[in-house]
Every structure is written in C-alpha cells, then in structure tokens.
Amino acid sequence: MTRLTRRHATELETISVTVPAEAVEAYEDALAVVCTTIGIFEMDDSQLFWRVEGVRDAGYGEVELTGALALAAAVTGHGATLDRTRTEAEGWLARTYESFPEQTVGQRFAVRGTHLDRSVSSRRITITLDAGVAFGSGEHGSTRGCLRALETVAHRRPRRILDMGCGSGILAMAAAALLHRPVLAIDIEPWSVRTTARNAELNGLGPLIDARLGNGWRTPGLSRRAPFDLVFANILARPLCLMAQDLALHLAPGGTAILAGLLNSQAGMVLAAHRRQGLVLERRLNEGDWTTLVLRKASSPA
C-alpha cells in the first residue's frame, strides 16, 4: 500500500475507529495511508472490540483515507465510523510517549521506545523501537505470544529462520538477538520492509536482518533459502490456512512454525489446516483473546 508524502504539520488530528478484533489489521493499514503513527487499544476486558487510532496532519489525504476505509470495510465485512479530534502537536508527542512504556515479555525480552533512558541496564534482550511506530511494539497479544513461543524453542538452535509478514521486525530482531543467526524478513507492505530495516539498524542487528518486499511464499529467491528451521507467521487466521501447504513444503524436517494473529476461536481452524499438511501441535499459548500455535514437522526417518 502506498503511503503519501508527508508535509509540515501546523495542526494535528487524531482519527480513530472501533472495530472487532478480526478487523483490526485491515483498519490499521487503512489509517496508515495518512497517519505517521498507529496505536491499537482494547476497549474493555473482553478484548472483542479495539480502537485503532492514528495521528495525521489535520485534513491531510482525505480522499485517500476515504478509499482506504472503504477497502477495509469491504475486505473485513465490518464498517466503521471515523472519529476525529484536533490535537496539539506538543500534547500528542507527550501522550505518545506516555502510551509506550517499556514492555517486558516472557523471561528474556523487553521492548522499549527510543524516548526512554537507554542507559538503564537490563538482563533482558532489549529491543528498541521508535515511539511513533506503535504497531508491533510488544503490546499486542499475538506479538507477545510469538516472543514467548520463541523462548520455548530457542534450545533447538535453529539456523535458517524466516519471519513471514515481518511488520515492525520485532520477531526477526528477537530471533536474531537471541540466537545470533541471520533472519529473512518478508512483508507485502513496502512501509513494513523499510521499518524493519530501520529498526534492525537501530538495534545493531542490521547485518543479521535481510528485510525484503515480497508476496508470501511466492517471494523471489525465498525457495533458495529453504528449508527453514524456524518460521514465524504472525498474520491472520484465513491467510494462515491458505498458506499451510506452502509452509509445510518450506519447513525443514524437525522444523518449527510459530503461528499467530488469530483469535482463540480461530485456533482450531488454523490447526486443522496445518495438521492436514502433516504438522503436529507442540504448544498452544494464549494471551488474552489471542492464540499462538507452535507446530513442528516430523523429522526424516533414520
């Protein structure tokens, strides 16, 4: 999806929509057409509805935004009303920083914004992200589930690693930092590829992260890097089901797949699609309303 060229902001506007969990990603992409930063906030403890919020120059890209929202509604089947609030630039920056505190995940990871004091020592592997990049910040249940799952399989020391749908690059960076291995990171969105590359450099992981623009398993050159010992796919339930056969074909014997981006209610559907391809459920992790599946391919016969 093409992002518009920014102009200098004299006044900012916060725009937001409230949508069901399964429509969050599509509306996040829609707001990102005109917004510099996107935040996702749960509306209540049920985690059934979420507010997707972005900040833009007041009135900027109205035609493009209207089209992107219409596309999100068509793709998800969920229409949404756009709320607008004028925001002073200084006040917005302070609020952005306040809404992005350090996130500790599992036993080994911490995710911190660039606005926080970097001199604070930590025994955790710390991943630093720009506070303006709200997606993939470690707050979402699917991201947290993937990081926890990575901890459980790290002892296998996978050598060939793929992050399919890399977003901010947080999973690719976590794997590279923990395992000291190169990671191929692929996304269909040019903005995500650029963000992943920028974040990798910020964290001193640039040499280990190969961020590439591509369309899933049809990405040029991907097959030459296979088979993979570890694959992350933090996407959505239906695409995961459609990609099950390709995932199994590109996964090494004994290899592990960490699948996320699915609600608890969708886990059975995703698991069934991958079981039909010979993958076995090793572990299921829940973070609120979100499920992460850890699957494994059988080893080759002796």
Side-chain angles (χ1 to χ4, degrees):
M1 185 179 294
T2 301
R3 267 68 182 182
L4 301 179
T5 302
R6 311 303 308 164
R7 62 177 171 80
H8 180 70
T10 55
E11 186 175 26
L12 297 177
E13 180 181 39
T14 299
I15 57 177
S16 65
V17 294
T18 300
V19 295
E22 61 269 23
V24 165
E25 185 173 5
Y27 277 94
E28 181 182 4
D29 284 343
L31 267 59
V33 170
V34 297
C35 295
T36 303
T37 179
I38 306 293
I40 303 172
F41 309 93
E42 57 185 315
M43 297 301 294
D44 53 49
D45 291 338
S46 72
Q47 295 188 326
L48 295 178
F49 288 89
W50 297 72
R51 186 176 83 255
V52 184
E53 179 182 290
V55 178
R56 66 169 178 170
D57 298 356
Y60 172 66
E62 194 68 22
V63 173
E64 291 80 4
L65 175 62
T66 299
L69 290 172
L71 178 60
V75 168
T76 64
H78 296 285
T81 300
L82 186 70
D83 294 322
R84 309 166 185 262
T85 305
R86 292 298 174 96
T87 304
E88 293 184 3
E90 184 176 351
W92 165 75
L93 185 60
R95 187 178 69 171
T96 298
Y97 287 169
E98 182 181 354
S99 68
F100 191 8
E102 179 176 278
Q103 302 289 320
T104 56
V105 185
Q107 301 299 313
R108 307 186 71 171
F109 295 106
V111 183
R112 311 183 82 246
T114 52
H115 61 290
L116 297 174
D117 184 1
R118 300 187 68 176
S119 66
V120 176
S121 62
S122 173
R123 294 184 178 180
R124 291 174 176 263
I125 293 173
T126 301
I127 298 171
T128 301
L129 299 176
D130 192 316
V133 182
F135 72 104
S137 65
E139 295 180 283
H140 197 279
S142 61
T143 304
R144 296 178 66 86
C146 287
L147 292 174
R148 289 174 55 207
L150 173 60
E151 291 182 343
T152 70
V153 303
H155 66 279
R156 295 179 187 145
R157 307 303 297 174
R159 296 177 59 84
R160 292 159 296 186
I161 305 170
L162 170 68
D163 183 3
M164 179 66 76
C166 56
S168 67
I170 188 171
L171 301 180
M173 290 187 292
L178 177 62
L179 301 169
H180 307 289
R181 299 296 304 173
V183 180
L184 176 61
I186 293 174
D187 205 287
I188 198 170
E189 295 284 355
W191 187 52
S192 292
V193 176
R194 291 193 297 271
T195 299
T196 293
R198 185 170 65 246
N199 285 335
E201 292 294 335
L202 176 64
N203 286 272
L205 296 168
L208 290 177
I209 306 295
D210 182 5
R212 295 190 180 186
L213 182 67
N215 184 11
W217 295 102
R218 294 191 293 275
T219 300
L222 183 148
S223 293
R224 291 196 299 271
R225 303 277 287 269
F228 296 97
D229 303 305
L230 174 62
V231 174
F232 295 100
N234 183 10
I235 310 177
L236 287 172
R238 292 189 183 280
L240 286 173
C241 290
L242 294 173
M243 296 165 65
Q245 184 178 34
D246 285 323
L247 170 61
L249 289 173
H250 288 83
L251 195 62
T256 304
I258 297 176
L259 310 182
L262 50 143
L263 296 166
N264 295 339
S265 60
Q266 299 170 322
M269 172 180 69
V270 174
L271 179 57
H274 289 80
R275 277 178 167 162
R276 287 193 289 269
Q277 303 303 323
L279 302 189
V280 177
L281 177 66
E282 186 171 79
R283 185 173 283 104
R284 173 173 174 165
L285 302 173
N286 290 341
E287 283 276 350
D289 216 36
W290 299 88
T291 290
T292 299
L293 299 176
V294 181
L295 305 177
R296 198 167 189 195
K297 186 174 182 177
S299 299
S300 299

